[in-house]
PDB file of all heavy atoms in Angstrom:
ATOM      1  N   LEU V   1     -20.271  -6.301  -5.543  1.00 98.00           N
ATOM      2  CA  LEU V   1     -20.505  -6.708  -4.160  1.00 98.00           C
ATOM      3  C   LEU V   1     -20.442  -5.484  -3.253  1.00 98.00           C
ATOM      4  O   LEU V   1     -19.467  -4.744  -3.286  1.00 98.00           O
ATOM      5  CB  LEU V   1     -19.492  -7.737  -3.685  1.00 98.00           C
ATOM      6  CG  LEU V   1     -19.693  -9.203  -4.057  1.00 98.00           C
ATOM      7  CD1 LEU V   1     -19.655  -9.414  -5.580  1.00 98.00           C
ATOM      8  CD2 LEU V   1     -18.636 -10.084  -3.419  1.00 98.00           C
ATOM      9  N   ALA V   2     -21.478  -5.236  -2.471  1.00 98.00           N
ATOM     10  CA  ALA V   2     -21.522  -4.100  -1.582  1.00 98.00           C
ATOM     11  C   ALA V   2     -22.166  -4.499  -0.272  1.00 98.00           C
ATOM     12  O   ALA V   2     -22.983  -5.432  -0.225  1.00 98.00           O
ATOM     13  CB  ALA V   2     -22.270  -2.922  -2.237  1.00 98.00           C
ATOM     14  N   GLY V   3     -21.832  -3.761   0.778  1.00 97.00           N
ATOM     15  CA  GLY V   3     -22.456  -4.034   2.072  1.00 97.00           C
ATOM     16  C   GLY V   3     -21.499  -3.903   3.212  1.00 97.00           C
ATOM     17  O   GLY V   3     -20.445  -3.243   3.085  1.00 97.00           O
ATOM     18  N   GLU V   4     -21.847  -4.525   4.334  1.00 96.00           N
ATOM     19  CA  GLU V   4     -21.096  -4.359   5.577  1.00 96.00           C
ATOM     20  C   GLU V   4     -20.666  -5.718   6.109  1.00 96.00           C
ATOM     21  O   GLU V   4     -21.493  -6.634   6.254  1.00 96.00           O
ATOM     22  CB  GLU V   4     -21.960  -3.663   6.619  1.00 96.00           C
ATOM     23  CG  GLU V   4     -22.479  -2.294   6.200  1.00 96.00           C
ATOM     24  CD  GLU V   4     -23.678  -2.390   5.300  1.00 96.00           C
ATOM     25  OE1 GLU V   4     -24.578  -3.178   5.582  1.00 96.00           O
ATOM     26  OE2 GLU V   4     -23.703  -1.673   4.263  1.00 96.00           O
ATOM     27  N   ILE V   5     -19.388  -5.853   6.424  1.00 96.00           N
ATOM     28  CA  ILE V   5     -18.837  -7.106   6.949  1.00 96.00           C
ATOM     29  C   ILE V   5     -17.874  -6.785   8.067  1.00 96.00           C
ATOM     30  O   ILE V   5     -16.990  -5.954   7.927  1.00 96.00           O
ATOM     31  CB  ILE V   5     -18.131  -7.916   5.843  1.00 96.00           C
ATOM     32  CG1 ILE V   5     -19.123  -8.421   4.827  1.00 96.00           C
ATOM     33  CG2 ILE V   5     -17.331  -9.071   6.460  1.00 96.00           C
ATOM     34  CD1 ILE V   5     -18.534  -9.119   3.632  1.00 96.00           C
ATOM     35  N   THR V   6     -18.064  -7.455   9.218  1.00 94.00           N
ATOM     36  CA  THR V   6     -17.094  -7.411  10.317  1.00 94.00           C
ATOM     37  C   THR V   6     -16.728  -8.854  10.645  1.00 94.00           C
ATOM     38  O   THR V   6     -17.572  -9.639  11.077  1.00 94.00           O
ATOM     39  CB  THR V   6     -17.717  -6.702  11.530  1.00 94.00           C
ATOM     40  OG1 THR V   6     -18.072  -5.354  11.196  1.00 94.00           O
ATOM     41  CG2 THR V   6     -16.699  -6.652  12.699  1.00 94.00           C
ATOM     42  N   SER V   7     -15.452  -9.179  10.436  1.00 95.00           N
ATOM     43  CA  SER V   7     -15.025 -10.554  10.583  1.00 95.00           C
ATOM     44  C   SER V   7     -13.515 -10.639  10.739  1.00 95.00           C
ATOM     45  O   SER V   7     -12.768  -9.782  10.258  1.00 95.00           O
ATOM     46  CB  SER V   7     -15.448 -11.379   9.340  1.00 95.00           C
ATOM     47  OG  SER V   7     -14.984 -12.700   9.411  1.00 95.00           O
ATOM     48  N   ASN V   8     -13.067 -11.706  11.401  1.00 95.00           N
ATOM     49  CA  ASN V   8     -11.625 -12.002  11.486  1.00 95.00           C
ATOM     50  C   ASN V   8     -11.150 -12.846  10.316  1.00 95.00           C
ATOM     51  O   ASN V   8      -9.983 -13.171  10.241  1.00 95.00           O
ATOM     52  CB  ASN V   8     -11.317 -12.685  12.813  1.00 95.00           C
ATOM     53  CG  ASN V   8     -11.498 -11.765  14.012  1.00 95.00           C
ATOM     54  OD1 ASN V   8     -11.135 -10.593  13.946  1.00 95.00           O
ATOM     55  ND2 ASN V   8     -12.087 -12.289  15.068  1.00 95.00           N
ATOM     56  N   ALA V   9     -12.082 -13.266   9.456  1.00 96.00           N
ATOM     57  CA  ALA V   9     -11.739 -14.129   8.313  1.00 96.00           C
ATOM     58  C   ALA V   9     -10.985 -13.311   7.256  1.00 96.00           C
ATOM     59  O   ALA V   9     -11.187 -12.109   7.108  1.00 96.00           O
ATOM     60  CB  ALA V   9     -12.977 -14.741   7.741  1.00 96.00           C
ATOM     61  N   GLN V  10     -10.161 -14.004   6.496  1.00 96.00           N
ATOM     62  CA  GLN V  10      -9.485 -13.416   5.349  1.00 96.00           C
ATOM     63  C   GLN V  10     -10.017 -14.095   4.087  1.00 96.00           C
ATOM     64  O   GLN V  10      -9.743 -15.281   3.847  1.00 96.00           O
ATOM     65  CB  GLN V  10      -7.960 -13.622   5.457  1.00 96.00           C
ATOM     66  CG  GLN V  10      -7.354 -12.967   6.701  1.00 96.00           C
ATOM     67  CD  GLN V  10      -7.486 -11.432   6.635  1.00 96.00           C
ATOM     68  OE1 GLN V  10      -7.200 -10.810   5.592  1.00 96.00           O
ATOM     69  NE2 GLN V  10      -7.870 -10.821   7.764  1.00 96.00           N
ATOM     70  N   VAL V  11     -10.799 -13.372   3.327  1.00 97.00           N
ATOM     71  CA  VAL V  11     -11.502 -13.971   2.216  1.00 97.00           C
ATOM     72  C   VAL V  11     -11.216 -13.165   0.941  1.00 97.00           C
ATOM     73  O   VAL V  11     -11.264 -11.927   0.934  1.00 97.00           O
ATOM     74  CB  VAL V  11     -13.015 -14.018   2.464  1.00 97.00           C
ATOM     75  CG1 VAL V  11     -13.800 -14.427   1.220  1.00 97.00           C
ATOM     76  CG2 VAL V  11     -13.330 -14.973   3.602  1.00 97.00           C
ATOM     77  N   ASP V  12     -10.956 -13.847  -0.181  1.00 97.00           N
ATOM     78  CA  ASP V  12     -10.838 -13.235  -1.479  1.00 97.00           C
ATOM     79  C   ASP V  12     -12.261 -13.175  -2.055  1.00 97.00           C
ATOM     80  O   ASP V  12     -12.732 -14.142  -2.649  1.00 97.00           O
ATOM     81  CB  ASP V  12      -9.927 -14.070  -2.360  1.00 97.00           C
ATOM     82  CG  ASP V  12      -9.671 -13.432  -3.737  1.00 97.00           C
ATOM     83  OD1 ASP V  12     -10.503 -12.605  -4.160  1.00 97.00           O
ATOM     84  OD2 ASP V  12      -8.675 -13.792  -4.378  1.00 97.00           O
ATOM     85  N   TYR V  13     -12.918 -12.067  -1.864  1.00 97.00           N
ATOM     86  CA  TYR V  13     -14.329 -11.953  -2.249  1.00 97.00           C
ATOM     87  C   TYR V  13     -14.540 -12.127  -3.737  1.00 97.00           C
ATOM     88  O   TYR V  13     -15.503 -12.778  -4.164  1.00 97.00           O
ATOM     89  CB  TYR V  13     -14.889 -10.619  -1.784  1.00 97.00           C
ATOM     90  CG  TYR V  13     -14.840 -10.387  -0.294  1.00 97.00           C
ATOM     91  CD1 TYR V  13     -14.066  -9.371   0.236  1.00 97.00           C
ATOM     92  CD2 TYR V  13     -15.557 -11.217   0.562  1.00 97.00           C
ATOM     93  CE1 TYR V  13     -14.005  -9.173   1.619  1.00 97.00           C
ATOM     94  CE2 TYR V  13     -15.514 -11.035   1.928  1.00 97.00           C
ATOM     95  CZ  TYR V  13     -14.736 -10.017   2.453  1.00 97.00           C
ATOM     96  OH  TYR V  13     -14.690  -9.839   3.813  1.00 97.00           O
ATOM     97  N   ALA V  14     -13.658 -11.591  -4.548  1.00 97.00           N
ATOM     98  CA  ALA V  14     -13.796 -11.708  -5.979  1.00 97.00           C
ATOM     99  C   ALA V  14     -13.704 -13.174  -6.400  1.00 97.00           C
ATOM    100  O   ALA V  14     -14.455 -13.628  -7.293  1.00 97.00           O
ATOM    101  CB  ALA V  14     -12.761 -10.873  -6.709  1.00 97.00           C
ATOM    102  N   GLN V  15     -12.779 -13.917  -5.807  1.00 98.00           N
ATOM    103  CA  GLN V  15     -12.627 -15.313  -6.151  1.00 98.00           C
ATOM    104  C   GLN V  15     -13.839 -16.131  -5.725  1.00 98.00           C
ATOM    105  O   GLN V  15     -14.305 -17.020  -6.452  1.00 98.00           O
ATOM    106  CB  GLN V  15     -11.380 -15.897  -5.514  1.00 98.00           C
ATOM    107  CG  GLN V  15     -11.027 -17.297  -6.020  1.00 98.00           C
ATOM    108  CD  GLN V  15     -10.764 -17.316  -7.521  1.00 98.00           C
ATOM    109  OE1 GLN V  15     -10.000 -16.550  -8.046  1.00 98.00           O
ATOM    110  NE2 GLN V  15     -11.483 -18.198  -8.237  1.00 98.00           N
ATOM    111  N   VAL V  16     -14.389 -15.849  -4.545  1.00 98.00           N
ATOM    112  CA  VAL V  16     -15.606 -16.525  -4.111  1.00 98.00           C
ATOM    113  C   VAL V  16     -16.709 -16.281  -5.135  1.00 98.00           C
ATOM    114  O   VAL V  16     -17.433 -17.206  -5.510  1.00 98.00           O
ATOM    115  CB  VAL V  16     -16.032 -16.031  -2.712  1.00 98.00           C
ATOM    116  CG1 VAL V  16     -17.451 -16.530  -2.375  1.00 98.00           C
ATOM    117  CG2 VAL V  16     -15.043 -16.492  -1.640  1.00 98.00           C
ATOM    118  N   ALA V  17     -16.884 -15.041  -5.554  1.00 98.00           N
ATOM    119  CA  ALA V  17     -17.927 -14.708  -6.514  1.00 98.00           C
ATOM    120  C   ALA V  17     -17.759 -15.476  -7.816  1.00 98.00           C
ATOM    121  O   ALA V  17     -18.709 -16.049  -8.365  1.00 98.00           O
ATOM    122  CB  ALA V  17     -17.954 -13.215  -6.770  1.00 98.00           C
ATOM    123  N   ARG V  18     -16.543 -15.531  -8.301  1.00 98.00           N
ATOM    124  CA  ARG V  18     -16.269 -16.249  -9.549  1.00 98.00           C
ATOM    125  C   ARG V  18     -16.559 -17.725  -9.379  1.00 98.00           C
ATOM    126  O   ARG V  18     -17.119 -18.362 -10.285  1.00 98.00           O
ATOM    127  CB  ARG V  18     -14.801 -16.034  -9.999  1.00 98.00           C
ATOM    128  CG  ARG V  18     -14.513 -14.587 -10.413  1.00 98.00           C
ATOM    129  CD  ARG V  18     -13.096 -14.483 -10.985  1.00 98.00           C
ATOM    130  NE  ARG V  18     -12.689 -13.119 -11.116  1.00 98.00           N
ATOM    131  CZ  ARG V  18     -13.056 -12.311 -12.107  1.00 98.00           C
ATOM    132  NH1 ARG V  18     -13.833 -12.781 -13.060  1.00 98.00           N
ATOM    133  NH2 ARG V  18     -12.611 -11.072 -12.153  1.00 98.00           N
ATOM    134  N   ASP V  19     -16.157 -18.297  -8.271  1.00 98.00           N
ATOM    135  CA  ASP V  19     -16.366 -19.720  -8.027  1.00 98.00           C
ATOM    136  C   ASP V  19     -17.875 -20.065  -8.022  1.00 98.00           C
ATOM    137  O   ASP V  19     -18.298 -21.092  -8.571  1.00 98.00           O
ATOM    138  CB  ASP V  19     -15.736 -20.161  -6.733  1.00 98.00           C
ATOM    139  CG  ASP V  19     -14.215 -20.168  -6.779  1.00 98.00           C
ATOM    140  OD1 ASP V  19     -13.651 -20.100  -7.910  1.00 98.00           O
ATOM    141  OD2 ASP V  19     -13.593 -20.212  -5.700  1.00 98.00           O
ATOM    142  N   VAL V  20     -18.651 -19.200  -7.392  1.00 98.00           N
ATOM    143  CA  VAL V  20     -20.096 -19.417  -7.368  1.00 98.00           C
ATOM    144  C   VAL V  20     -20.683 -19.372  -8.765  1.00 98.00           C
ATOM    145  O   VAL V  20     -21.459 -20.269  -9.183  1.00 98.00           O
ATOM    146  CB  VAL V  20     -20.797 -18.392  -6.442  1.00 98.00           C
ATOM    147  CG1 VAL V  20     -22.324 -18.466  -6.593  1.00 98.00           C
ATOM    148  CG2 VAL V  20     -20.418 -18.600  -4.984  1.00 98.00           C
ATOM    149  N   VAL V  21     -20.364 -18.353  -9.513  1.00 98.00           N
ATOM    150  CA  VAL V  21     -20.910 -18.196 -10.860  1.00 98.00           C
ATOM    151  C   VAL V  21     -20.473 -19.352 -11.727  1.00 98.00           C
ATOM    152  O   VAL V  21     -21.262 -19.879 -12.538  1.00 98.00           O
ATOM    153  CB  VAL V  21     -20.456 -16.850 -11.479  1.00 98.00           C
ATOM    154  CG1 VAL V  21     -20.851 -16.757 -12.945  1.00 98.00           C
ATOM    155  CG2 VAL V  21     -21.042 -15.694 -10.671  1.00 98.00           C
ATOM    156  N   ARG V  22     -19.246 -19.802 -11.588  1.00 97.00           N
ATOM    157  CA  ARG V  22     -18.747 -20.927 -12.382  1.00 97.00           C
ATOM    158  C   ARG V  22     -19.554 -22.178 -12.069  1.00 97.00           C
ATOM    159  O   ARG V  22     -19.923 -22.972 -12.964  1.00 97.00           O
ATOM    160  CB  ARG V  22     -17.273 -21.156 -12.105  1.00 97.00           C
ATOM    161  CG  ARG V  22     -16.623 -22.206 -13.025  1.00 97.00           C
ATOM    162  CD  ARG V  22     -15.155 -22.422 -12.712  1.00 97.00           C
ATOM    163  NE  ARG V  22     -14.380 -21.180 -12.831  1.00 97.00           N
ATOM    164  CZ  ARG V  22     -13.907 -20.511 -11.767  1.00 97.00           C
ATOM    165  NH1 ARG V  22     -14.137 -20.978 -10.530  1.00 97.00           N
ATOM    166  NH2 ARG V  22     -13.224 -19.405 -11.948  1.00 97.00           N
ATOM    167  N   SER V  23     -19.811 -22.449 -10.778  1.00 97.00           N
ATOM    168  CA  SER V  23     -20.546 -23.654 -10.389  1.00 97.00           C
ATOM    169  C   SER V  23     -21.976 -23.654 -10.879  1.00 97.00           C
ATOM    170  O   SER V  23     -22.575 -24.695 -11.097  1.00 97.00           O
ATOM    171  CB  SER V  23     -20.507 -23.818  -8.858  1.00 97.00           C
ATOM    172  OG  SER V  23     -21.292 -22.845  -8.230  1.00 97.00           O
ATOM    173  N   ILE V  24     -22.548 -22.444 -11.061  1.00 97.00           N
ATOM    174  CA  ILE V  24     -23.902 -22.355 -11.588  1.00 97.00           C
ATOM    175  C   ILE V  24     -23.940 -22.781 -13.051  1.00 97.00           C
ATOM    176  O   ILE V  24     -24.930 -23.366 -13.525  1.00 97.00           O
ATOM    177  CB  ILE V  24     -24.423 -20.902 -11.430  1.00 97.00           C
ATOM    178  CG1 ILE V  24     -24.647 -20.583  -9.954  1.00 97.00           C
ATOM    179  CG2 ILE V  24     -25.746 -20.693 -12.210  1.00 97.00           C
ATOM    180  CD1 ILE V  24     -24.915 -19.117  -9.679  1.00 97.00           C
ATOM    181  N   GLY V  25     -22.865 -22.509 -13.781  1.00 95.00           N
ATOM    182  CA  GLY V  25     -22.799 -22.920 -15.181  1.00 95.00           C
ATOM    183  C   GLY V  25     -22.507 -21.805 -16.168  1.00 95.00           C
ATOM    184  O   GLY V  25     -22.484 -22.036 -17.364  1.00 95.00           O
ATOM    185  N   TYR V  26     -22.247 -20.618 -15.662  1.00 96.00           N
ATOM    186  CA  TYR V  26     -21.917 -19.486 -16.548  1.00 96.00           C
ATOM    187  C   TYR V  26     -20.440 -19.434 -16.741  1.00 96.00           C
ATOM    188  O   TYR V  26     -19.681 -18.740 -16.038  1.00 96.00           O
ATOM    189  CB  TYR V  26     -22.446 -18.175 -15.962  1.00 96.00           C
ATOM    190  CG  TYR V  26     -23.971 -18.050 -16.021  1.00 96.00           C
ATOM    191  CD1 TYR V  26     -24.744 -17.987 -14.868  1.00 96.00           C
ATOM    192  CD2 TYR V  26     -24.624 -18.055 -17.254  1.00 96.00           C
ATOM    193  CE1 TYR V  26     -26.107 -17.885 -14.929  1.00 96.00           C
ATOM    194  CE2 TYR V  26     -26.001 -17.954 -17.336  1.00 96.00           C
ATOM    195  CZ  TYR V  26     -26.730 -17.868 -16.166  1.00 96.00           C
ATOM    196  OH  TYR V  26     -28.105 -17.789 -16.244  1.00 96.00           O
ATOM    197  N   THR V  27     -19.971 -20.181 -17.727  1.00 94.00           N
ATOM    198  CA  THR V  27     -18.539 -20.376 -17.948  1.00 94.00           C
ATOM    199  C   THR V  27     -18.108 -20.035 -19.382  1.00 94.00           C
ATOM    200  O   THR V  27     -16.983 -20.368 -19.777  1.00 94.00           O
ATOM    201  CB  THR V  27     -18.138 -21.814 -17.636  1.00 94.00           C
ATOM    202  OG1 THR V  27     -18.939 -22.694 -18.467  1.00 94.00           O
ATOM    203  CG2 THR V  27     -18.400 -22.160 -16.169  1.00 94.00           C
TER     204      THR V  27
END
């Protein structure tokens, strides 16, 4: 994951990525 983000949110980017891939079916 690369790019630019400016936000007040606190996000676990790695976990979001894993959750998306899991929901697609790559498990």
Side-chain angles (χ1 to χ4, degrees):
L1 278 62
E4 303 79 45
I5 291 174
T6 300
S7 176
N8 292 319
Q10 298 296 314
V11 171
D12 183 339
Y13 299 117
Q15 189 60 52
V16 169
R18 293 186 192 281
D19 289 346
V20 170
V21 173
R22 188 181 302 107
S23 71
I24 292 170
Y26 288 117
T27 57

